[in-house]
């Protein structure tokens, strides 16, 4: 980490006590790390809203014996192969699969891909983790 800058922050005592309690619960080593993470999270949110390059993690749970569903998920992924970095398939139990897809691209495109996949009939759970592209933040 380069170019660290120290700055002072004035906060109400009660808020700081609550914050410190939260940091202990979450095993944060320092306030600096916690505050840096909070700021970074907001900046990443901003990137997602500004159609910048981002990384998204799409998780889907579906029933594997529904062949038309599996085939539809594959079609969508092949159609967006330029966005997809990797995918992992986990056989959760006799009936259910978990698929984790890592996508990198413009936030609008990644959001669209996540919506298309989550929207497939038979997908029981779908979520998108909005992460940074790792370049600036
Ligand atoms: Ni499976």
């Amino acid at each position: 980490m380069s170019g660290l800058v120290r700055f002072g922050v004035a906060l109400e005592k009660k808020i700081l006590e609550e914050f410190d309690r939260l940091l202990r619960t979450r095993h944060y080593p320092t306030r600096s790390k916690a505050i840096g993470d909070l700021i970074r999270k907001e900046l990443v949110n901003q990137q997602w809203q500004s159609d910048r390059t981002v990384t998204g993690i799409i998780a889907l749970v579906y029933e594997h014996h529904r062949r038309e569903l599996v085939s539809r998920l594959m079609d969508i992924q092949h159609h967006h192969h330029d966005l997809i970095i990797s995918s992992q398939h986990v056989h959760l139990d006799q009936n259910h699969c978990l698929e984790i897809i890592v996508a990198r691209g413009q936030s609008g495109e990644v959001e669209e891909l996540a919506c298309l996949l989550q929207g497939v009939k038979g997908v029981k759970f779908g979520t998108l983790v909005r992460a940074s592209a790792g370049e600036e933040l």
Side-chain angles (χ1 to χ4, degrees):
M1 208 182 302
S2 63
L4 283 181
V5 177
R6 275 186 190 280
F7 66 100
V9 178
L11 277 176
E12 288 171 37
K13 188 169 182 279
K14 193 167 181 291
I15 288 180
L16 187 58
E17 285 168 0
E18 284 297 319
F19 189 60
D20 284 342
R21 205 182 338 269
L22 182 69
L23 303 195
R24 281 193 296 278
T25 310
R26 296 193 179 171
H27 305 287
Y28 267 97
T30 61
R31 285 180 182 156
S32 291
K33 159 82 173 142
I35 290 168
D37 282 5
L38 285 174
I39 292 171
R40 224 172 276 114
K41 193 179 282 184
E42 279 306 307
L43 294 174
V44 169
N45 280 341
Q46 188 57 41
Q47 287 183 335
W48 277 83
Q49 286 162 24
S50 322
D51 209 26
R52 304 264 296 277
T53 302
V54 294
T55 305
I57 301 105
I58 303 162
L60 306 167
V61 174
Y62 55 88
E63 292 178 71
H64 88 102
H65 54 77
R66 298 182 61 157
R67 298 296 172 192
E68 75 292 348
L69 177 161
V70 177
S71 158
R72 179 81 189 110
L73 291 177
M74 279 305 114
D75 285 349
I76 294 170
Q77 291 186 59
H78 277 278
H79 191 71
H80 294 85
H81 67 90
D82 51 327
L83 286 178
I84 297 174
I85 296 171
S86 77
S87 66
Q88 183 178 21
H89 185 104
V90 179
H91 310 301
L92 284 180
D93 59 29
Q94 199 75 357
N95 302 314
H96 296 94
C97 301
L98 165 67
E99 201 149 321
I100 300 160
I101 298 154
V102 180
R104 189 168 188 276
Q106 299 304 110
S107 58
E109 295 173 325
V110 177
E111 292 269 8
E112 172 79 2
L113 173 61
C115 286
L116 284 170
L117 292 166
Q118 289 171 35
V120 172
K121 196 174 172 203
V123 171
K124 296 174 95 176
F125 174 84
T127 193
L128 169 65
V129 176
R130 294 170 178 83
S132 82
E135 289 167 344
E136 298 163 20
L137 302 171

